[in-house]
């Protein structure tokens, strides 16, 4: 199967960026570099593994799960169907923590999933330590593996717990969270790739704000003086979340993502 043939197969299956995905699958299955692939586009790759991966992608399984890893903040993060796929939008939250944690600070990452946020903060801030909480043990195991692979596990406490109840001990300079925030009514509109991701990490089963509100209700009490609570939100939730925080005595400001959309609400005590 050539690059062109695989691209055409994926395109016929409705894959949006078929050429990119085809190249990624060939490089992964056949252990060929991207440069070598581009230099000989007509080469035929006869590989049972490639055929198997191609079929999975044709059926809508996310490329990231097929490859078993994805990039976040320039880091390779292990992913699987147990966790959300790291996205560029979430880098806004991670970068905020990296830029604003005080020297020697301590942070917590709620709904950690793959652990990509916590791991990135610890990689780029060698002076800080953190805790990461996740409800599902199999998902927390992915976070543990990522922390170990990136050599930050000694500075990260892993907690298997429901974040809608106070699951932390001690005080923190910053608490970040990427909770489920998609409304249940919006779920049928998502792409088939997204529907492969764990539903509980995408939606609260209601209007999309229940977990966010629980975090705002509970975790400011865990912040040190001057500390910050920063939560990723849906792009149309900035005003609602900010008003909820203000109603509970917090100052709120909204950070935009690369597309200019509301993405993170940062909150501090007034």
């Amino acid at each position: 199967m050539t690059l062109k043939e695989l691209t055409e197969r994926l395109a016929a299956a409705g894959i949006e960026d078929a050429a990119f995905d085809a190249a990624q699958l060939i490089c992964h299955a056949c252990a060929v570099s991207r440069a070598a692939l581009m230099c000989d586009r007509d080469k035929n790759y006869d590989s049972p593994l490639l055929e198997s991966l191609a079929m999975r992608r044709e059926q809508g399984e996310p490329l990231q799960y097929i490859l078993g890893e994805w990039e976040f903040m320039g880091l390779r993060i292990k992913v699987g169907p147990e966790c959300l796929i790291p996205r560029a939008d979430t880098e806004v939250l991670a970068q905020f923590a990296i830029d604003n944690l005080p020297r020697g600070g301590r942070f917590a990452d709620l709904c950690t999933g793959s652990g990509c946020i916590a791991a990135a903060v610890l990689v780029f801030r060698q002076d800080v330590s953190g805790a990461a909480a996740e409800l599902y043990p199999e998902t927390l195991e992915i976070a543990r593996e990522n922390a170990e692979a990136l050599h930050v596990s000694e500075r990260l406490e892993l907690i298997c717990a429901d974040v809608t109840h106070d699951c932390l001990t001690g005080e923190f300079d910053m608490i970040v969270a990427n909770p489920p925030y998609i409304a249940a009514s919006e779920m049928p509109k998502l792409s088939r790739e997204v529907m492969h991701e764990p539903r509980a990490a995408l939606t609260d089963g209601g209007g999309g704000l229940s977990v966010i509100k629980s975090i705002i209700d509970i975790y400011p009490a865990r912040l040190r003086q001057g500390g910050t609570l920063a939560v990723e939100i849906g792009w149309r939730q900035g005003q609602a979340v900010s008003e909820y925080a203000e109603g509970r005595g917090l100052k709120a400001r909204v950070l935009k993502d690369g597309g200019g959309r509301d993405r993170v609400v940062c909150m501090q005590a007034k």
Side-chain angles (χ1 to χ4, degrees):
M1 181 163 37
T2 66
L3 175 61
K4 182 175 183 293
E5 289 170 342
L6 181 52
T7 298
E8 290 173 347
R9 276 182 58 177
L10 297 183
I15 305 303
E16 186 173 344
D17 197 351
F20 174 82
D21 286 21
Q24 290 286 320
L25 292 175
I26 291 173
C27 291
H28 180 75
C30 303
V32 60
S33 70
R34 183 64 180 261
L37 177 63
M38 293 299 107
C39 287
D40 191 1
R41 292 171 177 261
D42 297 325
K43 182 175 179 179
N44 184 59
Y45 294 92
D46 183 16
S47 163
L49 175 58
L50 178 59
E51 178 61 31
S52 173
L53 300 187
M55 290 178 63
R56 289 168 61 186
R57 189 67 189 99
E58 285 177 305
Q59 293 165 6
E61 184 175 348
L63 176 68
Q64 295 89 338
Y65 289 166
I66 296 171
L67 300 179
E69 63 178 17
W70 201 242
E71 185 176 296
F72 182 80
M73 302 287 291
L75 307 171
R76 281 289 168 182
I77 300 294
K78 177 181 178 178
V79 295
E82 304 87 356
C83 64
L84 283 184
I85 295 164
R87 288 171 168 81
D89 289 343
T90 302
E91 293 185 2
V92 175
L93 181 57
Q95 192 65 57
F96 176 80
I98 292 166
D99 292 342
N100 290 280
L101 272 165
R103 183 75 185 169
R106 185 177 183 226
F107 73 96
D109 176 26
L110 307 178
C111 307
T112 196
S114 67
C116 62
I117 297 173
V121 173
L122 292 168
V123 166
F124 292 107
R125 287 293 304 272
Q126 296 287 323
D127 59 299
V128 305
S129 61
E134 169 58 46
L135 177 60
Y136 298 101
E138 63 273 22
T139 307
L140 195 65
E141 177 62 18
I142 297 287
R144 182 190 66 79
E145 292 179 20
N146 279 318
E148 291 181 351
L150 293 167
H151 309 293
V152 297
S153 58
E154 291 185 359
R155 290 183 286 128
L156 182 65
E157 176 190 4
L158 297 175
I159 303 166
C160 189
D162 182 351
V163 305
T164 62
H165 304 279
D166 187 0
C167 63
L168 301 178
T169 56
E171 294 184 328
F172 298 83
D173 298 287
M174 186 178 295
I175 298 173
V176 300
N178 181 15
Y181 54 72
I182 299 173
S185 61
E186 296 177 350
M187 290 293 290
K189 305 172 187 176
L190 301 179
S191 70
R192 59 176 178 167
E193 283 82 3
V194 174
M195 296 302 287
H196 279 78
E197 298 183 68
R199 184 180 179 88
L202 294 167
T203 181
D204 61 358
L209 293 177
S210 67
V211 180
I212 292 175
K213 288 180 177 180
S214 292
I215 289 170
I216 294 172
D217 289 341
I218 296 168
Y219 292 98
R222 287 288 178 192
L223 292 172
R224 292 172 177 155
Q225 185 173 3
T228 302
L229 174 64
V231 180
E232 181 170 333
I233 60 167
W235 65 276
R236 290 178 291 189
Q237 296 172 334
Q239 181 176 348
V241 173
S242 295
E243 289 177 353
Y244 189 84
E246 294 280 351
R248 275 142 187 79
L250 303 172
K251 294 182 294 184
R253 64 186 178 100
V254 179
L255 304 180
K256 305 286 187 180
D257 61 23
R261 299 164 299 188
D262 291 355
R263 186 54 59 191
V264 174
V265 177
C266 301
M267 295 156 275
Q268 292 180 308
K270 291 182 178 179

